Structure formats: structure tokens, C-alpha cells
Amino acid sequence: MARAPLIGRLYWREYLALYLSLILVFLEGFIRIITLGLPQPIIRFFYNRSRNVFNVLSSSQGRQARSKQGSFVSSVANAADFVDLCSLFGYYAEEHVVQTGDGYLLGLHRLGWRKGEEGLRVNAGRGSLRKPVVYLHHGLLMNSEVWVCLTEKERCLPFMLVEKGYDVWLGNNRGNKYSKKSIRSSPTSNAFWDFSMDQFAFHDIPDSIEYVLATTAQLSLSYVGFSQGTAQAFATLSIHPTLNDKIDVFIALAPAMSPAGIHNGFVDALTKASPDVLFLAFGRRSILSSATMWQAILYPPIFVRLIDMSLAFLFNWGSRNISAHQKLAAYPHLYSFTSTKSVVHWFQIIRNKCFQMYDDDVQAPLSIGASERYYKVAKFPTRNIKTPIVLVYGGSDSLVDINVMLRELPKHTVAKEIPHFEHLDFLWAEHVETLVHPQVFDALEAYAGRDHLKQKYLTYGSINDSALRRRSLVTSEDDFSSPLAADRSDIDPRANGSANHSPSASIDLVHHTSPAKLPSRWEPVTPTPLSSSSTTPGSVPQRASKEKTKLSRLNPMMRKRQRRSGSTSSSRSTDSVAKFGEGGILLGAGKATVGSVNSPIMADVDPKESSNRNQ
């Protein structure tokens, strides 16, 4: 179909949908202005009338079912905050505040104690109980309450992590219920709400993680994100290389990166509109702030029906996997404030089909400068992520295009599908404890809780799992003859004590399981750097024959260094050098990755080629 002449990139029907959407937005804003001036008795009148209408229209069976669990469901729905929600299940929660680099004050919540452990010191230095740390982050228009507003403890992921021995932290984005403060601007100003996902990635996530690690005296943690919480982690890890060393594993529930679009054509047309049009419709502060008004004047079951219809209208979600009682308990905690700009950022990502940074200089459609030859918005370089990634997505989630996502992520990413799950099911579905939680626990069991105080680990996906199974990492006796190996507690992750060796003499270990459960065939290897002057007398003649016969297997750069120095290491066998390279790293198909550094290394050299080079 031909496009409307002289008017940019939309079809005529998309412009019609855009105009109708704007009319609805203005109507909603007008109603909100009226309700702001309503006194409390009138609000209660509307609430009572809506309750009476619902009871007349609903069946007697439904009323009886609601009355059976109504007491606890009401307690969850009416809980004032995160701490109250946790206390309903008998858990003690701490509240923390972290200041970002640009002056926002973010609320953090901590669940570090099982029932009965409240008096213990956890991750508080010497003499305290040590636990691996897990950090959870919520999605768009949410806060940390969405993780704990369930009707059964067994379906609550944070509580189950606490029972498994983890120190659980939950973050919040700037602008939401727990982070609505800044030292530089007021929430009543436009400046406070001038943030997008860029600020989440550059400040909120890294600053929160640094605070958690500093408070718990840990060097790393595990990250579990939901929806936009996964997008923020993708963005953060891609632009902060050093942060990859501080996150053992990134588990993405209902991951979001580049959604294909919105199911409803009216709203999808908004994603293609100019940011100026969107700011005109929604303002430049918080978006959809009238949601709290509707919640106040509507009877809860009616409010639930309104949310369900909205989700079906926007995303074609049926919400059939979430029970009616769970909706009554959770939907009152579903909405929290965020900026219009952060939603506009998602619209730009959807429109351009690219996981990009916010476009502050949107070009006119017919402008010469709009060409990619002259202007291109910076992308988040997600392929640079070195942290292990586990994606758990729903087969019925319209916001996830797993094929597009995998193309933009590193090759070590693992994806697992829950066939019939939609987006919100990963938080509140009836069988979430049997379908989703085991995926999280397995990933944490494989990666979390490594003792970085003792050694560094090579855990990233550039090493193929099949290669790991074929190799047996057994240290020779020569490796333990060096002074660096004198203290076995520094190299054995199962021994007590702490490591006090330099980075050049660190222990690299390839594994995909927790150190406490290392398979016997994967043993730590003690690499000792080649030395040019510190060899012991007599060691070089004893090894001269071995060096000569196996010299062709070594990397040319290593042979060159040996010829220049005239000696080899006395505390390291040639077999170890040939297998692991100069730095002691297990060589894969051509690359070995440590932390955030990629270094191509030749694992094997053809003897004929080696002899030719020597000549």
C-alpha cells in the first residue's frame, strides 16, 4: 500500500490510530484532573458502588471461593510496603539506601536470614555467617514488591533462595516507590524525570551492585532479572567490562531486548510517533500516574478485570496461568512510577528494531541527516558480555523474540523455553515453583558462590563444554615444587585459608559447577610464569632433552622468549606449558577468556611449520 504523500514513515491508517490513541490519552488525563479534586467520601462512594455492582454480576460460587482465602489475600493486597509483605511470611527484611553517581537515592531491600537466623551476622566480616549473594531486579513500571506479593511462600523466589542459603538483595529503579528522591532535583520538577534506560545502565545497576558487594564483603554476586530488569543487565554488562568479573551468572526471566512490537495497532502506532508527540501526550514526568487513582476508586475484582483487559488489549496476554486469588493479591503491587522518557526509549528500540541507547537527536523522516551515512545511534554492545547468561523465556510471550535476541548475545548464552508461559507468569503463575524456579536454582548451583578471595575462575562460554569433558586437569608433581605451591590452601578451593599471591601467579580453574562440588577430574592447575634468571642450578640441563623434543608444540612467541632468555622455568613442566599456554589458561578452539579480556592463542603448532620458522 502506498504511503501518505509528504508525511513521513506512517501509513494513513497508522496516523488514524495515532490520533485515536492521543484522544484516549487526553481523556484519561482529563478524568485524572477531575478525580484529584474529589474528597475522600466521594472516592469511597464510587468504591462501594463498584463493589455492589460486581457482587450482583458475579456468581455465588465465585463469591464463596473469594471468601475462603479472602483474609490472607487481602493482607497481601493491602500490605503497605516490602517489609510488611515479608513479615506476613515470617521473614525479616532490611532496607538500604544507595546514592548513585548522579545524585539519585535508590532503595534496596535485603533478605539474608532464614526464620530463626535473625540474630546472626551474615556477610558482615570476620566471624559472620558467609552466604553467596543473589541480586534481583524488577521490570518496567514495577518495584521490588512484585517479587514477594504471592499467596504461597513456596512460589516466592526470594523466600526460596533464602531457604537455600543465599543472601538475597532486591533493587529498585530511580523514580519508583522506593527511589523517588534525588539530592539535586525534586520529583515535582522535569529534571528529576529526565532519565531513560541509559541512566539505569550507567548508574542504577552498577552503583547498586557495588553497594551490595561492599556491604557483604564479597567480590561477586549472581544477578536475576525480570523483563526490563534483564534489559538493564544486558546494557550494563555491555558497557562496563569490569562488572563482568563481579557477576558470576546472569539469569534472565522473561528477557527483554528488542521486542517485535505491540500487539494492538493503536498503541503500536505510538511507538512510531515522534518523541515530541509522546511527551505532549504523556508529559515529561512520570507516566500513567493515574493508575493509582483507578486502584483507589474501583473494587479490587473490577480493578483486576481492568488490568487483564489492558494486558490483552496491549500484548494479547490471556493471564490464564495466574489464579484469581493471586491477581487480587499481586495486581495492587503491580504499578510503580517511572519516567515517560524511559517508555519513549523502549518505543525507539521497537521502532528501530535495535537495542540502542536513547536517541536525543531524532531526525525528521525526510531529513538528509536521518541517513545512517551521517547519523547512527549508539548500540549497546551486548556481544561483549563475558558473564555466563541463562535465558528463561515463555513460549507465549509476545515481547520475546528469542532468535533476534540470541543473534545479539554472545555464543555462550543458554536459552530455555517454558512453552505455555506469558510474561507475568514468571512472577506469579500457579506452577512457577516447578517450572521456573528449578531453572534458576540449577544455574546458581553451577555458577554462584565461587570464592574469588582465593582464586580467579575461568568460567565464560568461550571454552566449549565438550572440550572440558575431553580434558582432565591434573597437576603434575613438578607444578607443586615451586614456592607458589608450597601452601596448598591457596590453590585448593576446598581448603581453608586465603590466597595471598599476586595476579601473575593466580590460579585459573575451568568449571561449570560450584567449587564445593567440583568433579574430581577438574582439578586446579598452578601456573608459574617463565623466568629468565631465577632457575635453580641444574634444572635446565635436566630438562634440556624434554624441551628439545617438545619445543615444536609451543607457541612461537614462547619459543622466541625462551631463546632470548636462555632458560626455562624450574617449577613448571613442559607438558603444562604446551597444554595450558604461557599464562596457565586452558586453551580451547582458538580463544581463552579470562574476565573481560579476550586473547587469541595458538593451541597447537604444526611441527613442520615450526621447523621452517626456526630455520
Side-chain angles (χ1 to χ4, degrees), residues 301-373:
I302 295 180
F303 180 73
V304 166
R305 296 285 179 89
L306 181 63
I307 295 296
D308 282 342
M309 290 190 299
S310 300
L311 295 176
F313 178 77
L314 295 173
F315 309 113
N316 197 30
W317 297 340
S319 304
R320 300 179 185 88
N321 297 319
I322 305 176
S323 68
H325 291 100
Q326 181 58 66
K327 293 176 183 178
L328 287 171
Y331 281 5
H333 302 279
L334 175 60
Y335 173 81
S336 196
F337 299 99
T338 193
S339 67
T340 300
K341 187 176 181 179
S342 63
V343 177
V344 171
H345 190 176
W346 273 113
F347 285 0
Q348 292 180 353
I349 292 173
I350 294 173
R351 181 177 68 239
N352 298 326
K353 295 179 173 28
C354 174
F355 190 52
Q356 64 179 42
M357 299 182 187
Y358 185 82
D359 188 359
D360 293 286
D361 187 23
V362 178
Q363 300 290 322
L366 301 181
S367 171
I368 296 177
S371 172
E372 289 188 357
R373 181 178 178 183

Side-chain angles (χ1 to χ4, degrees), residues 167-211:
D167 186 1
V168 181
W169 291 72
L170 302 96
N172 285 284
N173 285 339
R174 62 182 64 192
N176 78 5
K177 176 179 178 178
Y178 298 101
S179 308
K180 206 171 181 179
K181 188 173 181 59
S182 171
I183 63 173
R184 299 178 181 175
S185 57
S186 168
T188 59
S189 66
N190 290 346
F192 179 91
W193 300 99
D194 186 22
F195 60 82
S196 67
M197 195 155 49
D198 293 357
Q199 283 67 45
F200 299 153
F202 280 99
H203 297 289
D204 291 13
I205 297 298
D207 290 347
S208 297
I209 289 176
E210 291 291 350
Y211 177 89

Side-chain angles (χ1 to χ4, degrees), residues 25 68 72 101 143 267 305 394 419 464:
V25 169
K68 289 181 180 179
F72 188 76
N143 61 53
V267 183
R305 296 285 179 89
N464 196 312

